[in-house]
Amino acid sequence: MYHRALCALVFMMVHLLGFGGSALIVLAVTMRSVVWLRSFGLIGSATFVAYGIALGAWPIVITNVVTTSIHLFHLRTLANTDARGVIRTPRSQRSV
């Protein structure tokens, strides 16, 4: 009996993780700011990676690892961009 209740609790927590990831993705697409959109999208897709691993659903894991990487790339690019949209070059890479 205890084992069955524990399995039900774990099952419910895994699905709550999936619902949380879904809510974050939906919240991300409502953002006006690209930085917030990417940030919430990153957290949502990372949550889906954990959800996919918990379920053993490798298509979910692979898709969201790629999506997480894309969000990280764009956030890094945005962090290296000035107000005019020009990508800043580190001083060590500037030509003389």
Side-chain angles (χ1 to χ4, degrees), residues 15-87:
H15 285 291
L16 284 174
L17 185 65
F19 283 122
S22 295
L24 287 167
I25 297 293
V26 169
L27 188 61
V29 297
T30 65
M31 296 292 151
R32 288 183 182 210
S33 164
V34 175
V35 173
W36 284 109
L37 182 145
R38 293 285 179 194
S39 299
F40 277 98
L42 172 68
I43 297 167
S45 60
T47 304
F48 268 116
V49 170
Y51 176 67
I53 290 171
L55 289 180
W58 298 110
I60 292 174
V61 173
I62 293 166
T63 301
N64 285 286
V65 163
V66 171
T67 305
T68 301
S69 301
I70 292 168
H71 284 304
L72 282 171
F73 171 79
H74 284 293
L75 280 169
R76 186 168 181 221
T77 302
L78 286 168
N80 291 327
T81 305
D82 66 11
R84 296 170 296 164
V86 177
I87 296 176

Side-chain angles (χ1 to χ4, degrees), residues 5-25:
L6 183 61
C7 287
L9 179 65
V10 169
F11 181 78
M12 185 176 65
M13 290 177 69
V14 167
H15 285 291
L16 284 174
L17 185 65
F19 283 122
S22 295
L24 287 167
I25 297 293

